[in-house]
Amino acid sequence: MAELVRVSCRLANSKLMAEHGPQILYAVTDIVPVGEGAPAAGPVNVSFVLDRSGSMAGEKIDNLRRAVKLALDLLDPDDIVSIVLFDDRVEVLAPASPVRDKESLKRRVDQIRDRGGTEISKGMEAGLNELDKYHTPDRVSRMILLTDGQTYGDEDQCLEWAKQLAEKKIPLIAFGLGDDWNEDFLDRLANVTAGAGGLSEFIDAPEKIVDFFERVVAGAKRVVVRDAWLTVRLIPGVTPQRVWRVRPLIGLLGATALSDRGIQVALGDLERDQGQSLLMELTVQKKPKGVFRIAQVEVGYRTPAGQEERVRQDLAVEFTTDAEEAKKVDEEVRRLVKAVTAHRLQTKALEEAARGGDRTRAKDLLMQATILLRDLGNQELADQAQQEAERLGRGEEMSPTGTKRLRYETRRLTS
């Protein structure tokens, strides 16, 4: 049987200096499902959990209705969809059922009107109940949450529902629309399900809701392997520092220590022909001249038929006494490291600014990020980082829009 997943590894430096140490080494692992032998589109089970509070009036709710209707067009008759609306109450507009009468569903969507306040937990509870009705191993389940405001007094309950999603391996895809929602909370909520592929995103304009919804639904339809994980086994003298997902979005991954020389990272579902790329930062102790296998990378996953398969790749490094050879760097890996560093710097700056810490430190971090962003060719985001640094330098707060743009758009530097 042909392998469903191809795994390849690249090193920033294929050669390191012998008898020097410790040295930092970056390794990129590309994990791409090729979909051979897999169905073209697996059945999905999607619940839209949508904010219809009063602040959604006008252009926001018009685009929300349009986005849901266009997302319905991507689904097949045997796919499952449910639509849950929340304000300070909850309504199941469309209970979970096969998508066999799209026109009837669209007519219901056209009835969505804004009203009331914002209580996300009620929507999440109802959405989870609908997902449970068809949550089977052969279906790809997703909860798609959109809000434009801050939930009131029910944050802990929201996190409890997110934990239940994580236990069922259902990712929460959480979208914040506009400037008035709490990005710290939405990140925490989505990160509970990060091991299953959960994430949060910033939609800065109502007309972009369509693109984001279509991207998630189309992605769910492309899933060809389930519950993937990465295991890295290292030789003595090599230790892991961090593992970052760099494609499709940048994010620091939580690693489980298997031993003093092994880690495992959950990857969730993988989409046909897209997959994920991971960046590992390793510390390598002094080695003599020669070629050494320093690590083995193993990717495990579950096939559509429920079988467990694994693919392995070795990482080898030549330790040389030629200083010029050791300076040679893979330019693509170098670029990924710069992108991750820019994201990490702005993250630290936002944390300093949010907790009322050292504003000068936060400003300096943003200026460092600005330099990297310009080097990466992202002039617009570099200008935003510089503007926010200048605000801090004047003793002002960072702007809501600038904060969200830096937080979320630096995650897309590698996409």
Side-chain angles (χ1 to χ4, degrees), residues 55-300:
S55 57
M56 288 288 294
E59 189 181 5
K60 290 180 182 178
I61 209 154
D62 289 342
N63 280 278
L64 176 65
R65 289 192 290 259
R66 178 168 166 259
V68 174
K69 289 190 290 185
L70 289 173
L72 290 172
D73 287 334
L74 299 175
L75 298 174
D76 296 320
D78 291 330
D79 291 328
I80 305 298
V81 71
S82 57
I83 303 171
V84 173
L85 309 176
F86 69 90
D87 45 275
D88 47 14
R89 292 175 289 174
V90 67
E91 176 188 351
V92 180
L93 182 72
S97 59
V99 188
R100 292 180 183 152
D101 189 347
K102 292 184 181 180
E103 293 310 310
S104 175
L105 283 168
K106 289 178 181 180
R107 286 193 293 271
R108 287 190 233 176
V109 170
D110 282 332
Q111 297 168 12
I112 299 175
R113 297 292 183 271
D114 58 280
R115 72 180 195 196
T118 305
E119 290 188 36
I120 295 175
S121 66
K122 292 178 179 178
M124 291 184 66
E125 178 183 13
L128 181 55
N129 289 339
E130 297 304 316
L131 286 169
D132 272 343
K133 295 176 182 178
Y134 290 89
H135 182 51
T136 55
D138 64 319
R139 287 191 182 275
V140 175
S141 293
R142 297 285 185 272
M143 179 181 286
I144 302 173
L145 169 70
L146 181 136
T147 183
D148 77 332
Q150 302 192 30
T151 197
Y152 295 101
D154 62 340
E155 290 90 346
D156 289 344
Q157 188 58 61
C158 289
L159 291 166
E160 286 302 315
W161 295 129
K163 289 176 185 176
Q164 290 198 29
L165 287 170
E167 289 169 3
K168 299 172 188 292
K169 297 183 178 180
I170 301 175
L172 171 65
I173 313 300
F175 294 119
L177 174 62
D179 289 338
D180 296 329
W181 50 280
N182 184 337
E183 61 268 26
D184 291 325
F185 172 67
L186 212 63
D187 271 4
R188 284 178 61 208
L189 204 57
N191 284 342
V192 173
T193 68
L199 56 88
S200 57
E201 282 269 27
F202 169 40
I203 305 179
D204 63 356
E207 63 271 18
K208 295 182 181 179
I209 300 173
V210 172
D211 293 337
F212 280 91
F213 276 21
E214 287 188 328
R215 190 183 309 163
V216 175
V217 174
K221 295 290 294 179
R222 286 197 303 268
V223 168
V224 291
V225 299
R226 310 295 306 279
D227 305 330
W229 71 91
L230 171 80
T231 302
V232 183
R233 299 179 180 89
L234 303 161
I235 68 168
V238 181
T239 54
Q241 300 302 317
R242 299 176 187 86
V243 181
W244 294 82
R245 181 183 285 115
V246 290
R247 292 195 181 101
L249 297 174
I250 296 175
L252 181 63
L253 297 177
T256 301
L258 301 178
S259 67
D260 58 345
R261 295 200 305 274
I263 58 170
Q264 192 169 85
V265 178
L267 304 177
D269 299 335
L270 301 178
E271 299 173 17
R272 177 194 305 272
D273 299 325
Q274 176 171 307
Q276 298 181 23
S277 295
L278 308 181
L279 175 70
M280 290 186 292
E281 181 183 334
L282 306 173
T283 299
V284 183
Q285 301 298 329
K286 186 185 298 185
K287 292 285 183 186
K289 185 177 179 180
V291 177
F292 295 87
R293 187 187 78 165
I294 63 167
Q296 182 185 73
V297 172
E298 177 184 89
V299 176

